[in-house]
Amino acid sequence: MIELKNVTRRFGDAVAVDRINLTVESGEVCVLVGSSGCGKSTTLRMINQLLPHSEGEILVDGKDVTAMNPEQLRLNMGYVIQGTGLFPHWTVARNIAMVPQLLKWPRERIDERVHELLTLLDLDPATHANKYPQQLSGGQAQRVGVARALAANPNILLMDEPFGALDAITRENLQLEMLRIQSQLRKTTVFVTHDIDEALRLATRIAVMDRGRIIQHDTPENILRRPASDFVENLVGKQDRGLKLMSLRTVRDLMQSYPQPRQPEPGADGLKEADSLRVALSIMLWQNWNQVPVFNADGEETGTITRERIIREGA
Amino acid sequence: MSIFSSVSPNSMPNRVLPVLGLLALALVWLLELGVIQPNRIVPGTGHGLWSAVGGAGAGLVSLILAGCVVLSLLPVRRRYLPLLALVGLSLALLPLLLEVFAGRHLPEDAPYARSSIGAGFWCLLFLLSLMLIEILGRLGSGRGLQLLILAVISGSWLWFLRSDGLESLSLVREFNARPDKFEQAFWTHMALAFGAVGISACLAFLLALKMIRSVVWRRPILGAVSFLQTIPSLAVFGLLIAPLSALAAAFPALQAIGIRGIGWAPALLALVAYSLLPMVRNTFVALTEVPESLADAGRGMGMNERQLFFKLKLPLALPVMVEGVRITTIQAIGLTAVAALIGAGGFGSFIFQGLGQAAMDLVLLGALPTIALALLADALLTMLAAILKPTPATA
């Protein structure tokens, strides 16, 4: 758990972060979103004390960060930045092994962990472990950046616009990857971005920041339904709010389930339980379907969903 | 694939090698290959290629050069290996020309008569070396092969120079007259040049660290080392005589370890002063150009400043720092020759002695090893920088 109590950061006379209060519960993903210069990166960098705060209190698992040795504090927090920050003179394996090596893990345990993490992030250890960062694509490099942050199994993950420099397709892949990993690992995560769609997709709760203050701190659904101010309303976009709400929910929420999963007819078309309602509606509009079967991850037919129900209850 | 390989650079007619080859062919015929002197001082009589090594020798030399030209013009892909063999072997066996020349022309009954190297031979040596460099570049050869060729050629030259056939060569005569002094000069030269580089490397490292830690010191330090570089080298050697003499006179203990107005002490001081600028500049730039985002990542992962320095900044900066050492070493080897003027010893002493006695071969005895040392240091340090280069060339 991370608690910020009345935290202020000044640069000279300028106030970058103004008396903010924020609590990030264990295992949740808190996304700080806002335009550049709103203080979101400053807030993140105060949590691992790369920037000391001017006033207030920052508690990590109940302990004041200023009372801890900063290196010890950071060794227990994964840190991912935009542009990866991978060391160019180290191989992928050595980059991932950075924190375990600082923690003086034995050799075999490090090798095992590197292998495990490369596999977790969908990189083939045999082909990628001995490459250098500049031999990787942007998406691969950022996967390595995430693997490096997870290496010593920290409880907390700090991510500073990690996918900001990637193209739209790679970014979306990595977001899905992150959701998958987060569902397995449940790290307490603070994630900084200026992309509201990224925030809506990844967050358990979103903190919208503007000019050094937190304007609203709530779940994605509440941010969309009840924006606290015009600023938040503009940020989430007035017009496509309905579709954005739909993308927060999945087919599973509105489907009509069968009592027993069935074996599907061969070659049958349909939707997956994990598809968002937005995707489901889009496909149904395009294919001109009114009702389609829904399949689970194992490929069994588990129910059906209708267009009317999505339109009626989706947003 | 076949389309690409048929126009690949290696199968195109080479333009550099024919020019070098033809130039060598022209110069070796136009200029004197060697000179026979009745004694050390009297100007001798020159011999062209035909006269020096006879018809057969002249024919062979011309044939080899013409062969290189023709081979390099042929649009065949695998011609650089035979070319390498031809040019490399010619370079290794080049002293044979001097041996044949001495055997043919040296009068039997004149013990003071000597043969010396003519302009034609130097041109041949120089142009063949250029051809070798071009061929090695085209082959894209690895360091191992380059080192091997260098070792074979220099080994062959050493063997020829130590054999009896070249005993009459004036350069060898000058060496044989003072082998102890030559050895001493070699060690003095090495000690002065590399000592200065070593001391200034340590000093420069400390100065660069100081500059990184405190911004206030940046301009004064860079200004001071730049200023040192602008004083003419001879002036520094001269200017140091008076203060060092005074110092030695005031503290006899200093005198006891050899610090005087002339000799190694002022030479070393001046060399260190000259070496500082490239070292400080390279070290400072290399260490400050490590991207801040990398340091930020390292710090954020829990590295302390010492770990950041040794694991990140230093390894990334090292190739640029070695580059500074390379520049400085070449410069120091050359400057050490000048330091002989204030009695520091080294190969420079032969140069100045030879100039005083109008004995050009003695000058060469000082100059050639200086050049060889500089080239060798350059090659080795370039290699070191390439090895230390942290990331593979393929991006």
Side-chain angles (χ1 to χ4, degrees):
Chain A
M1 192 163 82
I2 304 167
E3 293 158 281
L4 280 73
K5 294 181 180 168
N6 277 316
V7 172
T8 298
R9 168 72 199 191
R10 289 188 208 89
F11 292 104
D13 287 335
V15 181
V17 172
D18 192 5
R19 283 168 292 152
I20 61 168
N21 288 290
L22 181 71
T23 304
V24 183
E25 301 291 344
S26 297
E28 82 165 333
V29 179
C30 171
V31 177
L32 302 176
V33 67
S35 42
S36 13
C38 70
K40 55 192 193 298
S41 278
T42 307
T43 306
L44 183 89
R45 292 163 65 84
M46 284 191 295
I47 295 173
N48 66 0
Q49 290 289 290
L50 280 176
L51 284 174
H53 49 288
S54 314
E55 272 166 33
E57 235 186 331
I58 299 179
L59 306 176
V60 171
D61 294 329
K63 278 181 278 185
D64 191 335
V65 290
T66 49
M68 288 187 241
N69 173 320
E71 277 90 37
Q72 284 304 320
L73 174 76
R74 292 172 200 153
L75 285 171
N76 290 318
M77 294 181 173
Y79 185 49
V80 187
I81 60 173
Q82 185 175 357
T84 75
L86 295 176
F87 286 10
H89 59 303
W90 284 1
T91 60
V92 165
R94 189 150 180 223
N95 265 296
I96 296 176
M98 182 199 271
V99 178
Q101 238 157 25
L102 291 174
L103 292 170
K104 302 206 164 56
W105 285 15
R107 184 75 255 166
E108 313 81 62
R109 193 173 159 210
I110 292 179
D111 290 343
E112 201 179 306
R113 181 69 181 150
V114 167
H115 195 276
E116 189 181 316
L117 281 165
L118 281 171
T119 316
L120 177 73
L121 281 143
D122 207 17
L123 292 165
D124 178 21
T127 46
H128 291 103
N130 291 315
K131 281 190 178 171
Y132 284 86
Q134 61 274 35
Q135 294 169 308
L136 304 173
S137 69
Q140 288 171 338
Q142 197 50 275
R143 279 164 200 264
V144 175
V146 175
R148 178 177 66 176
L150 292 171
N153 209 3
N155 295 322
I156 292 170
L157 212 50
L158 304 179
M159 307 179 92
D160 195 352
E161 302 210 30
F163 311 141
L166 303 173
D167 64 85
I169 296 170
T170 313
R171 193 184 319 155
E172 191 177 332
N173 280 337
L174 275 166
Q175 288 165 357
L176 293 176
E177 200 87 325
M178 209 194 124
L179 285 175
R180 179 176 64 81
I181 292 170
Q182 179 61 12
S183 69
Q184 290 176 34
L185 304 179
R186 300 246 163 250
K187 301 287 180 201
T188 308
T189 305
V190 182
F191 190 107
V192 165
T193 182
H194 58 259
D195 177 356
I196 185 68
D197 289 313
E198 186 167 70
L200 289 170
R201 170 173 280 173
L202 297 177
T204 318
R205 282 193 294 168
I206 296 175
V208 180
M209 288 188 75
D210 184 38
R211 275 170 283 170
R213 288 167 171 272
I214 292 179
I215 307 291
Q216 190 172 8
H217 182 212
D218 216 327
T219 60
E221 181 162 354
N222 284 341
I223 295 263
L224 281 169
R225 286 191 196 282
R226 289 180 283 280
S229 69
D230 289 348
F231 177 81
V232 181
E233 198 167 352
N234 280 328
L235 187 75
V236 298
K238 278 181 194 167
Q239 275 118 24
D240 59 350
R241 221 190 282 173
L243 289 175
K244 277 181 174 148
L245 274 168
M246 277 194 183
S247 53
L248 294 179
R249 300 173 69 186
T250 60
V251 170
R252 193 179 289 121
D253 299 336
L254 290 186
M255 65 191 265
Q256 190 85 48
S257 291
Y258 300 142
Q260 287 289 320
R262 303 176 189 168
Q263 280 306 313
E265 293 165 34
D269 266 334
L271 295 166
K272 287 196 274 299
E273 283 182 356
D275 285 337
S276 74
L277 290 177
R278 180 179 179 159
V279 169
L281 184 63
S282 170
I283 292 175
M284 291 170 92
L285 285 173
W286 176 248
Q287 303 279 8
N288 203 15
W289 289 332
N290 280 320
Q291 179 169 359
V292 282
V294 177
F295 304 107
N296 66 11
D298 299 327
E300 294 165 323
E301 193 176 328
T302 50
T304 58
I305 188 161
T306 61
R307 193 151 98 185
E308 282 84 76
R309 181 136 194 234
I310 298 179
I311 291 170
R312 208 171 54 236
E313 298 172 36
Chain B
M1 185 64 205
S2 61
I3 300 168
F4 286 106
S5 58
S6 68
V7 294
S8 81
N10 270 5
S11 64
M12 304 249 288
N14 189 299
R15 291 188 194 151
V16 181
L17 289 176
V19 172
L20 292 175
L22 286 175
L23 198 61
L25 198 58
L27 289 175
V28 83
W29 277 96
L30 286 175
L31 298 172
E32 290 167 352
L33 189 78
V35 180
I36 296 290
Q37 286 175 289
N39 61 46
R40 189 181 180 203
I41 310 296
V42 178
T45 45
H47 294 266
L49 180 65
W50 186 277
S51 146
V53 293
L60 187 66
V61 170
S62 311
L63 205 66
I64 289 176
L65 287 174
C68 288
V69 172
V70 172
L71 201 55
S72 58
L73 283 174
L74 285 179
V76 186
R77 282 190 65 204
R78 300 200 170 274
R79 68 210 141 123
Y80 283 105
L81 270 181
L83 268 174
L84 177 68
L86 202 59
V87 173
L89 216 61
S90 309
L91 266 175
L93 297 179
L94 212 53
L96 209 56
L97 285 181
L98 297 173
E99 209 172 309
V100 173
F101 167 62
R104 281 168 57 91
H105 290 281
L106 208 67
E108 296 267 319
D109 50 349
Y112 295 111
R114 46 177 62 197
S115 60
S116 64
I117 302 169
F121 185 88
W122 289 123
C123 288
L124 192 59
L125 172 64
F126 179 64
L127 289 167
L128 278 175
S129 307
L130 286 184
M131 287 166 81
L132 185 72
I133 292 170
E134 164 73 9
I135 293 169
L136 285 174
R138 292 279 167 172
L139 275 173
S141 54
R143 284 181 214 116
L145 182 66
Q146 293 179 5
L147 271 183
L148 183 74
I149 288 170
L150 193 70
V152 167
I153 292 174
S154 39
S156 153
W157 273 73
L158 278 180
W159 185 81
F160 274 113
L161 287 173
R162 298 184 78 106
S163 72
D164 287 344
L166 285 182
E167 192 272 331
S168 69
L169 196 67
S170 51
L171 207 57
V172 179
R173 289 265 167 99
E174 296 292 351
F175 172 76
N176 284 342
R178 44 180 84 70
D180 299 343
K181 276 194 178 165
F182 186 87
E183 201 187 326
Q184 197 189 355
F186 172 77
W187 290 117
T188 313
H189 207 103
M190 294 282 278
L192 272 178
F194 287 96
V197 170
I199 293 172
S200 62
C202 298
L203 264 180
F205 191 67
L206 294 178
L207 286 176
L209 283 188
K210 184 76 193 162
M211 281 164 72
I212 289 168
R213 292 230 176 99
S214 58
V215 185
V216 208
W217 281 94
R218 270 179 210 180
R219 288 174 63 87
I221 290 177
L222 259 189
V225 296
S226 306
F227 170 71
L228 286 176
Q229 190 87 358
T230 60
I231 316 173
S233 56
L234 271 176
V236 180
F237 289 131
L239 283 172
L240 280 171
I241 294 178
L244 277 177
S245 306
L247 212 61
F251 301 98
L254 289 179
Q255 209 159 4
I257 59 166
I259 291 177
R260 283 174 298 147
I262 58 168
W264 65 266
L268 192 68
L269 264 180
L271 287 171
V272 168
Y274 267 96
S275 306
L276 278 176
L277 177 63
M279 298 258 216
V280 169
R281 202 180 39 204
N282 274 38
T283 311
F284 175 70
V285 169
L287 285 173
T288 44
E289 275 191 351
V290 173
E292 192 47 41
S293 67
L294 294 182
D296 184 61
R299 219 172 270 132
M301 305 296 297
M303 282 186 160
N304 59 34
E305 292 305 311
R306 198 176 57 85
Q307 287 162 334
L308 269 182
F309 185 79
F310 284 106
K311 293 187 177 202
L312 175 71
K313 294 182 181 172
L314 198 58
L316 286 182
L318 217 49
V320 184
M321 288 161 67
V322 171
E323 181 63 20
V325 173
R326 186 181 69 89
I327 297 168
T328 312
T329 309
I330 296 165
Q331 181 184 285
I333 289 173
L335 265 181
T336 306
V338 183
L341 267 186
I342 51 165
F347 289 130
S349 52
F350 296 144
I351 297 176
F352 291 114
Q353 255 177 43
L355 284 174
Q357 302 169 1
M360 280 311 124
D361 294 307
L362 189 53
V363 175
L364 280 183
L365 186 68
L368 288 179
T370 310
I371 296 170
L373 263 185
L375 288 178
L376 192 70
D378 178 44
L380 291 179
L381 286 168
T382 306
M383 251 176 237
L384 184 66
I387 291 169
L388 287 174
K389 214 165 181 61
T391 50
T394 53

